[in-house]
Amino acid sequence: MNKRPRVTKQRYGRYVLELVMAAVAVAFLFPVYALVTLSMKDPRQIADSPLAPPAPPTLGNFGDAWSSASLGPALVNSAVITTVSLLLLVVLGATGAYCLARRARGLGYGLYILFLLGIVLPFQLGMIPLYELVDDLGWLGTYHGMVFFYTGIQLPFTVFLYTGFIRALPPDYAQAALIDGCNHRQAFTQVVFPLLRPITGTVIILNAVFVWNDFFTPLLYLGGSDKETVPVGVFSFVGQYVSDYGLVFAGLVLAALPVLIVFLLLQRYVIKGFAGGLKG
């Protein structure tokens, strides 16, 4: 007679861990389910059974939310500000981190510590002088005022990620390019920067999520202008249509969809690049 194998403590612990992770996954997915479900219901269905699947689902809320909240111009504004900010962060962060990573002593190390202080100190401490500076420059309600702000705020974190990843790369690649006749700019752009693809994906994702979802700064710098971003547009929309939750949640889905698509396209780089930065 065969005996059933005993469940070891290790296997039992693995089962418990899997159950805990499944519960955590359900907890994280529940708000997404509620958001999508409510966006496809009319007011009557929401009042009767808010969390039940829509029967039948309606897509009219998305069209109404798009036209009522003026999400089209807001999406264009957010896309312009986010894209230009990311371009500057990648260019400035990668080049600056390359210089800091290859100069580990003296001035390079001191500048690296200075960038780390930019991560530790909360940017809210400088909101009033930054606002006065942007106002004096005449950049309130403009694209370049927001790009200037986001580039300065996120550059320390970007340099931190790039520096750690570059330090983990062998310097032989750049040295071989220099021996072959390249200057330092050519060695970086043609040899080193293509190797930074994983961390570049991480930089793009993390900074894009921050810039796209930021609400307080655009409300302060762009409020009342025609350059308002998606979070500010959704905020005014929610206040206007707070009684129609189907339209509200449809607007939230439309606002979150672009950055979600970007994350899904680049998600394989996030953990790899971030782990490389921490390792360095």
Side-chain angles (χ1 to χ4, degrees), residues 13-37:
R14 186 171 68 249
Y15 291 154
V16 173
L17 180 60
E18 291 176 354
L19 290 176
V20 172
M21 296 305 297
V24 171
V26 171
F28 275 95
L29 290 176
F30 178 76
V32 179
Y33 166 78
L35 178 65
V36 176
T37 299

Side-chain angles (χ1 to χ4, degrees), residues 1-256:
M1 183 175 179
N2 296 329
K3 295 183 179 180
R4 297 178 60 184
R6 297 178 58 187
V7 179
T8 62
K9 293 183 178 181
Q10 183 178 4
R11 184 179 300 177
Y12 177 77
R14 186 171 68 249
Y15 291 154
V16 173
L17 180 60
E18 291 176 354
L19 290 176
V20 172
M21 296 305 297
V24 171
V26 171
F28 275 95
L29 290 176
F30 178 76
V32 179
Y33 166 78
L35 178 65
V36 176
T37 299
L38 292 173
S39 66
M40 296 182 180
K41 290 184 175 183
D42 55 35
R44 181 185 57 81
Q45 290 180 338
I46 295 176
D48 293 340
S49 53
L51 296 181
T58 176
L59 299 179
N61 290 333
F62 294 97
D64 295 339
W66 180 273
S67 58
S68 301
S70 299
L71 288 181
L75 285 171
V76 172
N77 295 334
S78 291
V80 171
I81 294 173
T82 303
T83 302
V84 178
S85 300
L86 291 178
L87 180 62
L88 290 176
L89 285 171
V90 169
V91 173
L92 297 177
T95 53
Y98 180 70
C99 297
L100 295 178
R102 295 298 179 242
R103 296 178 180 270
R105 298 180 180 179
L107 181 61
Y109 182 76
L111 290 175
Y112 180 68
I113 297 299
L114 183 62
F115 276 105
L116 293 184
L117 289 177
I119 302 176
V120 176
L121 296 177
F123 74 89
Q124 289 85 355
L125 294 177
M127 288 303 299
I128 295 179
L130 282 174
Y131 182 86
E132 293 179 351
L133 174 62
V134 174
D135 188 17
D136 292 338
L137 293 173
W139 288 357
L140 289 179
T142 62
Y143 287 144
H144 43 278
M146 295 303 302
V147 171
F148 168 79
F149 177 86
Y150 286 128
T151 302
I153 290 298
Q154 292 299 103
L155 190 59
F157 181 64
T158 303
V159 169
F160 166 73
L161 292 178
Y162 270 121
T163 302
F165 196 88
I166 293 174
R167 284 177 177 172
L169 291 177
D172 301 342
Y173 301 109
Q175 292 175 359
L178 295 174
I179 293 174
D180 290 340
C182 295
N183 55 37
H184 288 282
R185 179 183 60 81
Q186 293 172 333
F188 173 75
T189 56
Q190 299 178 14
V191 178
V192 177
F193 188 74
L195 299 175
L196 304 180
R197 189 177 302 151
I199 192 62
T200 299
T202 304
V203 166
I204 291 175
I205 283 295
L206 297 180
N207 286 315
V209 171
F210 173 80
V211 175
W212 187 274
N213 292 332
D214 185 29
F215 168 73
F216 177 72
T217 307
L219 181 65
L220 184 64
Y221 287 77
L222 303 176
S225 69
D226 58 348
K227 300 295 190 301
E228 289 183 348
T229 56
V230 171
V232 180
V234 172
F235 172 73
S236 59
F237 173 72
V238 169
Q240 185 178 2
Y241 294 94
V242 68
S243 60
D244 194 340
Y245 290 103
L247 290 180
V248 171
F249 284 102
L252 293 175
V253 170
L254 291 174

